[in-house]
Amino acid sequence: KADLSQPVFRVRNLVKRFNSLHAVHDVSTEIHHGEVVFIVGPSGSGKSTFLRCLNLLEEPTSGEIWFKEKQINRPHADINRFRQQVGMVFQHFNLFPHLTILENITLAPVKTGRFTKAEAIAKADTLLKRIGLYEKRNAYPQQLSGGQKQRIAIVRSLAMNPDVILFDEPTSALDPEMVGEVLSLMKELAKEGMTMVVVTHEIGFAREIATRVMFMDQGKIVEEGTPDHFFDNPANPRLRDFFSKV
Ligand code: ADP
Ligand code: MG
């Protein structure tokens, strides 16, 4: 259940420009604990840029991003500490090819001092058992299927005990038969109350697990609401047009 008293993220008038292009154009919103927020919209509408601003992979041009009562896009903010609390899962896994699965999962928790090596290994093993990939712990990423790699990428972010995980099209690079295993892991996390922000074209999946859906177009959030409201009565013509194509 979403806890509306506790924003994880508070975004105020966020703008990200690339030269004259407004990739994100005056976005304000809040993400609360336990929410599963899906962001949908046409290609180039600013979804990835918005996610990347949320964890400061992109520096906002203007506006404010607050994370748990602290503004993070200001001078001297503790960005490293902040990043440890925000997981990110990309389309292309970004596992280190020269490290084993276990090393991939334990690297950040140990390096950042979040967990001791023994703690990190124990946690990684628990997570690997949970997703049925414990026997792959000493394998290298290239020995895994795309679906397995993406589940490892999700587990790698879980290993940091994040407050929120941001997903940018986590299934769009996968062969169709591997999409299901990744979606079911995400669904489990949502059920357990993990706060998630998900960019995806899997509209049916959004309808199934989202607590809120946002539609972005030309850098703006042009409509948002519960999945039922959203999919049953899209008010915005651009949104209707988008749905007729997906
Ligand atoms: P989406 O994820 O919705 O497809 P993006 O956030 O990737 O959209 O892109 C929004 C707009 O910003 C697009 O016009 C894209 O070309 C532009 N853009 C994204 N990243 C950069 C960049 N690093 N430099 C210049 N333009 C960019
Ligand atoms: Mg994108």
Side-chain angles (χ1 to χ4, degrees), residues 142-187:
Q142 74 267 17
Q143 298 171 276
L144 271 59
S145 72
Q148 290 173 333
K149 278 189 274 202
Q150 192 60 300
R151 288 186 293 134
I152 295 297
I154 293 171
V155 158
R156 179 177 57 173
S157 64
L158 287 173
M160 289 291 278
N161 262 359
D163 287 272
V164 51
I165 304 182
L166 314 177
F167 296 83
D168 194 356
E169 300 202 27
T171 58
S172 55
L174 297 177
D175 291 333
E177 69 271 22
M178 292 171 183
V179 169
E181 65 195 64
V182 172
L183 296 186
S184 43
L185 177 56
M186 291 172 66
K187 187 172 167 179

Tab-separated table of all heavy atoms in Angstrom, residues 142-187:
chain	number	residue	atom	x	y	z
A	142	GLN	N	28.182	-13.436	-19.950
A	142	GLN	CA	27.936	-13.949	-21.316
A	142	GLN	C	27.433	-15.393	-21.328
A	142	GLN	O	26.960	-15.866	-22.358
A	142	GLN	CB	29.163	-13.771	-22.232
A	142	GLN	CG	30.311	-14.723	-21.983
A	142	GLN	CD	31.343	-14.134	-21.010
A	142	GLN	OE1	31.065	-13.169	-20.283
A	142	GLN	NE2	32.537	-14.696	-20.994
A	143	GLN	N	27.512	-16.063	-20.186
A	143	GLN	CA	27.007	-17.442	-20.111
A	143	GLN	C	25.513	-17.479	-19.770
A	143	GLN	O	24.938	-18.561	-19.658
A	143	GLN	CB	27.799	-18.223	-19.058
A	143	GLN	CG	29.284	-18.335	-19.401
A	143	GLN	CD	30.092	-18.922	-18.245
A	143	GLN	OE1	30.496	-18.213	-17.323
A	143	GLN	NE2	30.301	-20.223	-18.293
A	144	LEU	N	24.905	-16.319	-19.597
A	144	LEU	CA	23.493	-16.258	-19.217
A	144	LEU	C	22.632	-15.766	-20.382
A	144	LEU	O	23.114	-15.041	-21.253
A	144	LEU	CB	23.314	-15.286	-18.034
A	144	LEU	CG	23.447	-15.877	-16.629
A	144	LEU	CD1	24.805	-16.514	-16.405
A	144	LEU	CD2	23.188	-14.800	-15.592
A	145	SER	N	21.367	-16.142	-20.352
A	145	SER	CA	20.418	-15.620	-21.337
A	145	SER	C	20.079	-14.168	-20.994
A	145	SER	O	20.366	-13.693	-19.886
A	145	SER	CB	19.131	-16.448	-21.306
A	145	SER	OG	18.403	-16.172	-20.127
A	146	GLY	N	19.458	-13.495	-21.930
A	146	GLY	CA	19.069	-12.098	-21.699
A	146	GLY	C	18.143	-11.945	-20.500
A	146	GLY	O	18.300	-11.033	-19.680
A	147	GLY	N	17.189	-12.849	-20.383
A	147	GLY	CA	16.246	-12.770	-19.258
A	147	GLY	C	16.951	-12.999	-17.927
A	147	GLY	O	16.664	-12.331	-16.928
A	148	GLN	N	17.898	-13.956	-17.928
A	148	GLN	CA	18.670	-14.207	-16.707
A	148	GLN	C	19.520	-12.986	-16.357
A	148	GLN	O	19.588	-12.579	-15.198
A	148	GLN	CB	19.562	-15.438	-16.888
A	148	GLN	CG	18.757	-16.735	-16.949
A	148	GLN	CD	19.618	-17.950	-17.304
A	148	GLN	OE1	20.655	-17.824	-17.968
A	148	GLN	NE2	19.181	-19.120	-16.884
A	149	LYS	N	20.159	-12.385	-17.368
A	149	LYS	CA	20.996	-11.210	-17.105
A	149	LYS	C	20.169	-10.067	-16.533
A	149	LYS	O	20.598	-9.382	-15.604
A	149	LYS	CB	21.694	-10.747	-18.396
A	149	LYS	CG	22.939	-11.546	-18.705
A	149	LYS	CD	23.726	-10.948	-19.852
A	149	LYS	CE	23.201	-11.453	-21.177
A	149	LYS	NZ	24.181	-11.348	-22.270
A	150	GLN	N	18.983	-9.884	-17.072
A	150	GLN	CA	18.178	-8.771	-16.566
A	150	GLN	C	17.701	-9.049	-15.138
A	150	GLN	O	17.634	-8.150	-14.312
A	150	GLN	CB	16.999	-8.469	-17.507
A	150	GLN	CG	16.279	-7.159	-17.205
A	150	GLN	CD	17.177	-5.926	-17.312
A	150	GLN	OE1	18.184	-5.814	-16.595
A	150	GLN	NE2	16.831	-5.014	-18.204
A	151	ARG	N	17.405	-10.309	-14.824
A	151	ARG	CA	17.025	-10.619	-13.443
A	151	ARG	C	18.209	-10.420	-12.497
A	151	ARG	O	18.053	-9.988	-11.363
A	151	ARG	CB	16.425	-12.025	-13.354
A	151	ARG	CG	15.020	-12.074	-13.987
A	151	ARG	CD	14.337	-13.403	-13.802
A	151	ARG	NE	15.008	-14.464	-14.528
A	151	ARG	CZ	15.291	-15.662	-14.025
A	151	ARG	NH1	14.935	-15.977	-12.797
A	151	ARG	NH2	15.903	-16.561	-14.768
A	152	ILE	N	19.421	-10.735	-12.987
A	152	ILE	CA	20.617	-10.458	-12.177
A	152	ILE	C	20.780	-8.950	-11.974
A	152	ILE	O	21.118	-8.488	-10.879
A	152	ILE	CB	21.888	-11.053	-12.848
A	152	ILE	CG1	21.821	-12.584	-12.892
A	152	ILE	CG2	23.153	-10.569	-12.135
A	152	ILE	CD1	21.800	-13.266	-11.540
A	153	ALA	N	20.518	-8.178	-13.023
A	153	ALA	CA	20.633	-6.717	-12.886
A	153	ALA	C	19.651	-6.202	-11.835
A	153	ALA	O	19.966	-5.302	-11.055
A	153	ALA	CB	20.398	-6.040	-14.236
A	154	ILE	N	18.468	-6.781	-11.792
A	154	ILE	CA	17.479	-6.374	-10.780
A	154	ILE	C	17.960	-6.780	-9.388
A	154	ILE	O	17.914	-5.989	-8.440
A	154	ILE	CB	16.097	-6.987	-11.102
A	154	ILE	CG1	15.546	-6.375	-12.394
A	154	ILE	CG2	15.121	-6.762	-9.944
A	154	ILE	CD1	14.293	-7.053	-12.941
A	155	VAL	N	18.464	-8.004	-9.276
A	155	VAL	CA	18.989	-8.483	-7.995
A	155	VAL	C	20.182	-7.630	-7.551
A	155	VAL	O	20.343	-7.317	-6.373
A	155	VAL	CB	19.382	-9.976	-8.133
A	155	VAL	CG1	20.397	-10.380	-7.087
A	155	VAL	CG2	18.135	-10.848	-8.041
A	156	ARG	N	21.000	-7.237	-8.524
A	156	ARG	CA	22.145	-6.387	-8.178
A	156	ARG	C	21.672	-5.063	-7.548
A	156	ARG	O	22.263	-4.587	-6.590
A	156	ARG	CB	22.979	-6.096	-9.426
A	156	ARG	CG	24.165	-5.207	-9.151
A	156	ARG	CD	25.011	-4.991	-10.372
A	156	ARG	NE	24.235	-4.417	-11.470
A	156	ARG	CZ	24.763	-4.016	-12.610
A	156	ARG	NH1	26.059	-4.133	-12.809
A	156	ARG	NH2	24.002	-3.524	-13.561
A	157	SER	N	20.590	-4.500	-8.066
A	157	SER	CA	20.127	-3.270	-7.425
A	157	SER	C	19.483	-3.572	-6.071
A	157	SER	O	19.643	-2.803	-5.125
A	157	SER	CB	19.227	-2.452	-8.349
A	157	SER	OG	18.074	-3.156	-8.633
A	158	LEU	N	18.801	-4.710	-5.946
A	158	LEU	CA	18.199	-5.084	-4.655
A	158	LEU	C	19.258	-5.294	-3.575
A	158	LEU	O	18.997	-5.077	-2.391
A	158	LEU	CB	17.408	-6.385	-4.790
A	158	LEU	CG	16.085	-6.337	-5.517
A	158	LEU	CD1	15.544	-7.757	-5.683
A	158	LEU	CD2	15.086	-5.476	-4.766
A	159	ALA	N	20.443	-5.725	-3.996
A	159	ALA	CA	21.506	-6.048	-3.040
A	159	ALA	C	21.956	-4.825	-2.253
A	159	ALA	O	22.586	-4.953	-1.207
A	159	ALA	CB	22.702	-6.673	-3.768
A	160	MET	N	21.634	-3.639	-2.735
A	160	MET	CA	21.976	-2.404	-2.015
A	160	MET	C	20.881	-1.989	-1.036
A	160	MET	O	20.998	-0.965	-0.374
A	160	MET	CB	22.202	-1.267	-3.019
A	160	MET	CG	23.471	-1.399	-3.834
A	160	MET	SD	24.948	-1.170	-2.835
A	160	MET	CE	25.045	0.623	-2.783
A	161	ASN	N	19.804	-2.773	-0.953
A	161	ASN	CA	18.639	-2.375	-0.133
A	161	ASN	C	18.150	-0.977	-0.488
A	161	ASN	O	18.057	-0.107	0.383
A	161	ASN	CB	18.996	-2.387	1.357
A	161	ASN	CG	18.558	-3.664	2.027
A	161	ASN	OD1	17.972	-4.538	1.386
A	161	ASN	ND2	18.847	-3.769	3.297
A	162	PRO	N	17.825	-0.736	-1.741
A	162	PRO	CA	17.462	0.630	-2.131
A	162	PRO	C	16.072	1.009	-1.613
A	162	PRO	O	15.263	0.139	-1.304
A	162	PRO	CB	17.455	0.549	-3.662
A	162	PRO	CG	17.057	-0.860	-3.950
A	162	PRO	CD	17.681	-1.687	-2.854
A	163	ASP	N	15.828	2.311	-1.535
A	163	ASP	CA	14.491	2.797	-1.176
A	163	ASP	C	13.560	2.755	-2.375
A	163	ASP	O	12.345	2.741	-2.218
A	163	ASP	CB	14.570	4.258	-0.715
A	163	ASP	CG	15.204	4.367	0.645
A	163	ASP	OD1	14.468	4.284	1.620
A	163	ASP	OD2	16.437	4.504	0.709
A	164	VAL	N	14.147	2.805	-3.552
A	164	VAL	CA	13.349	2.883	-4.777
A	164	VAL	C	14.194	2.314	-5.908
A	164	VAL	O	15.419	2.417	-5.882
A	164	VAL	CB	12.932	4.362	-5.053
A	164	VAL	CG1	14.112	5.298	-5.019
A	164	VAL	CG2	12.172	4.522	-6.372
A	165	ILE	N	13.540	1.687	-6.878
A	165	ILE	CA	14.265	1.227	-8.071
A	165	ILE	C	13.621	1.874	-9.296
A	165	ILE	O	12.392	1.876	-9.443
A	165	ILE	CB	14.245	-0.307	-8.221
A	165	ILE	CG1	14.801	-0.984	-6.958
A	165	ILE	CG2	15.075	-0.736	-9.439
A	165	ILE	CD1	14.860	-2.511	-7.052
A	166	LEU	N	14.471	2.429	-10.152
A	166	LEU	CA	14.030	3.040	-11.403
A	166	LEU	C	14.323	2.057	-12.532
A	166	LEU	O	15.450	1.560	-12.640
A	166	LEU	CB	14.794	4.349	-11.655
A	166	LEU	CG	14.927	5.315	-10.471
A	166	LEU	CD1	15.773	6.530	-10.865
A	166	LEU	CD2	13.548	5.754	-9.988
A	167	PHE	N	13.324	1.769	-13.352
A	167	PHE	CA	13.489	0.824	-14.458
A	167	PHE	C	13.284	1.567	-15.777
A	167	PHE	O	12.235	2.174	-15.978
A	167	PHE	CB	12.435	-0.285	-14.396
A	167	PHE	CG	12.513	-1.186	-13.187
A	167	PHE	CD1	11.934	-0.816	-11.979
A	167	PHE	CD2	13.136	-2.431	-13.271
A	167	PHE	CE1	11.972	-1.665	-10.874
A	167	PHE	CE2	13.187	-3.281	-12.169
A	167	PHE	CZ	12.612	-2.897	-10.969
A	168	ASP	N	14.259	1.498	-16.668
A	168	ASP	CA	14.085	2.126	-17.980
A	168	ASP	C	13.980	1.042	-19.054
A	168	ASP	O	14.985	0.476	-19.478
A	168	ASP	CB	15.234	3.084	-18.290
A	168	ASP	CG	14.906	3.989	-19.482
A	168	ASP	OD1	13.838	3.804	-20.099
A	168	ASP	OD2	15.730	4.870	-19.800
A	169	GLU	N	12.777	0.766	-19.481
A	169	GLU	CA	12.488	-0.253	-20.504
A	169	GLU	C	13.235	-1.560	-20.246
A	169	GLU	O	14.011	-2.025	-21.087
A	169	GLU	CB	12.824	0.285	-21.902
A	169	GLU	CG	12.006	1.535	-22.232
A	169	GLU	CD	11.903	1.786	-23.723
A	169	GLU	OE1	11.992	0.821	-24.495
A	169	GLU	OE2	11.716	2.953	-24.103
A	170	PRO	N	12.991	-2.166	-19.083
A	170	PRO	CA	13.790	-3.338	-18.687
A	170	PRO	C	13.581	-4.563	-19.564
A	170	PRO	O	14.417	-5.455	-19.549
A	170	PRO	CB	13.308	-3.624	-17.261
A	170	PRO	CG	11.945	-3.029	-17.196
A	170	PRO	CD	11.995	-1.807	-18.066
A	171	THR	N	12.506	-4.593	-20.339
A	171	THR	CA	12.266	-5.794	-21.155
A	171	THR	C	12.379	-5.531	-22.649
A	171	THR	O	12.220	-6.456	-23.445
A	171	THR	CB	10.855	-6.373	-20.883
A	171	THR	OG1	9.873	-5.366	-21.158
A	171	THR	CG2	10.724	-6.831	-19.443
A	172	SER	N	12.680	-4.306	-23.058
A	172	SER	CA	12.558	-4.031	-24.494
A	172	SER	C	13.719	-4.577	-25.315
A	172	SER	O	13.613	-4.655	-26.537
A	172	SER	CB	12.328	-2.547	-24.756
A	172	SER	OG	13.325	-1.805	-24.164
A	173	ALA	N	14.815	-4.997	-24.656
A	173	ALA	CA	15.903	-5.604	-25.430
A	173	ALA	C	15.838	-7.131	-25.396
A	173	ALA	O	16.724	-7.801	-25.923
A	173	ALA	CB	17.251	-5.136	-24.882
A	174	LEU	N	14.801	-7.680	-24.768
A	174	LEU	CA	14.745	-9.134	-24.571
A	174	LEU	C	13.982	-9.843	-25.681
A	174	LEU	O	13.039	-9.296	-26.246
A	174	LEU	CB	14.051	-9.454	-23.237
A	174	LEU	CG	14.724	-8.960	-21.974
A	174	LEU	CD1	13.865	-9.309	-20.765
A	174	LEU	CD2	16.116	-9.555	-21.828
A	175	ASP	N	14.381	-11.084	-25.943
A	175	ASP	CA	13.560	-11.932	-26.805
A	175	ASP	C	12.216	-12.125	-26.116
A	175	ASP	O	12.153	-12.223	-24.883
A	175	ASP	CB	14.230	-13.288	-27.005
A	175	ASP	CG	15.497	-13.174	-27.836
A	175	ASP	OD1	15.591	-12.227	-28.645
A	175	ASP	OD2	16.402	-14.014	-27.657
A	176	PRO	N	11.142	-12.210	-26.914
A	176	PRO	CA	9.795	-12.265	-26.330
A	176	PRO	C	9.630	-13.358	-25.274
A	176	PRO	O	8.962	-13.135	-24.260
A	176	PRO	CB	8.891	-12.540	-27.532
A	176	PRO	CG	9.665	-12.087	-28.714
A	176	PRO	CD	11.122	-12.199	-28.372
A	177	GLU	N	10.272	-14.507	-25.459
A	177	GLU	CA	10.039	-15.597	-24.508
A	177	GLU	C	10.698	-15.334	-23.148
A	177	GLU	O	10.482	-16.072	-22.199
A	177	GLU	CB	10.489	-16.944	-25.089
A	177	GLU	CG	11.989	-17.121	-25.252
A	177	GLU	CD	12.523	-16.642	-26.594
A	177	GLU	OE1	11.850	-15.799	-27.247
A	177	GLU	OE2	13.617	-17.085	-26.994
A	178	MET	N	11.514	-14.281	-23.063
A	178	MET	CA	12.186	-13.981	-21.790
A	178	MET	C	11.576	-12.808	-21.056
A	178	MET	O	12.000	-12.480	-19.944
A	178	MET	CB	13.659	-13.701	-22.060
A	178	MET	CG	14.347	-14.948	-22.508
A	178	MET	SD	15.985	-14.620	-23.067
A	178	MET	CE	16.407	-16.280	-23.588
A	179	VAL	N	10.609	-12.176	-21.679
A	179	VAL	CA	9.992	-11.005	-21.050
A	179	VAL	C	9.264	-11.407	-19.770
A	179	VAL	O	9.382	-10.757	-18.727
A	179	VAL	CB	9.024	-10.317	-22.049
A	179	VAL	CG1	8.167	-9.270	-21.361
A	179	VAL	CG2	9.829	-9.696	-23.196
A	180	GLY	N	8.555	-12.539	-19.830
A	180	GLY	CA	7.705	-12.961	-18.711
A	180	GLY	C	8.454	-13.127	-17.406
A	180	GLY	O	7.981	-12.697	-16.353
A	181	GLU	N	9.641	-13.742	-17.454
A	181	GLU	CA	10.372	-14.010	-16.207
A	181	GLU	C	10.824	-12.709	-15.538
A	181	GLU	O	10.876	-12.619	-14.308
A	181	GLU	CB	11.575	-14.932	-16.467
A	181	GLU	CG	12.666	-14.348	-17.334
A	181	GLU	CD	13.649	-15.399	-17.865
A	181	GLU	OE1	13.242	-16.289	-18.652
A	181	GLU	OE2	14.824	-15.325	-17.493
A	182	VAL	N	11.117	-11.697	-16.360
A	182	VAL	CA	11.529	-10.407	-15.795
A	182	VAL	C	10.314	-9.680	-15.217
A	182	VAL	O	10.357	-9.155	-14.094
A	182	VAL	CB	12.249	-9.554	-16.867
A	182	VAL	CG1	12.516	-8.143	-16.359
A	182	VAL	CG2	13.561	-10.233	-17.272
A	183	LEU	N	9.209	-9.709	-15.955
A	183	LEU	CA	7.994	-9.055	-15.454
A	183	LEU	C	7.511	-9.721	-14.173
A	183	LEU	O	7.059	-9.044	-13.246
A	183	LEU	CB	6.884	-9.069	-16.510
A	183	LEU	CG	7.159	-8.278	-17.800
A	183	LEU	CD1	5.912	-8.271	-18.692
A	183	LEU	CD2	7.620	-6.862	-17.515
A	184	SER	N	7.637	-11.064	-14.085
A	184	SER	CA	7.112	-11.670	-12.849
A	184	SER	C	7.977	-11.331	-11.641
A	184	SER	O	7.444	-11.154	-10.548
A	184	SER	CB	6.841	-13.173	-12.967
A	184	SER	OG	7.857	-13.809	-13.619
A	185	LEU	N	9.284	-11.182	-11.844
A	185	LEU	CA	10.118	-10.721	-10.729
A	185	LEU	C	9.725	-9.298	-10.318
A	185	LEU	O	9.589	-8.987	-9.129
A	185	LEU	CB	11.606	-10.794	-11.117
A	185	LEU	CG	12.605	-10.278	-10.081
A	185	LEU	CD1	12.453	-10.990	-8.737
A	185	LEU	CD2	14.051	-10.432	-10.590
A	186	MET	N	9.509	-8.442	-11.303
A	186	MET	CA	9.103	-7.062	-10.984
A	186	MET	C	7.765	-7.034	-10.255
A	186	MET	O	7.551	-6.251	-9.333
A	186	MET	CB	9.026	-6.229	-12.262
A	186	MET	CG	10.389	-5.975	-12.884
A	186	MET	SD	10.270	-5.189	-14.494
A	186	MET	CE	9.573	-3.598	-14.047
A	187	LYS	N	6.880	-7.931	-10.678
A	187	LYS	CA	5.563	-7.997	-10.045
A	187	LYS	C	5.681	-8.425	-8.582
A	187	LYS	O	5.012	-7.873	-7.705
A	187	LYS	CB	4.701	-8.986	-10.834
A	187	LYS	CG	3.269	-9.048	-10.426
A	187	LYS	CD	2.510	-9.922	-11.416
A	187	LYS	CE	1.140	-10.282	-10.886
A	187	LYS	NZ	0.399	-11.114	-11.855
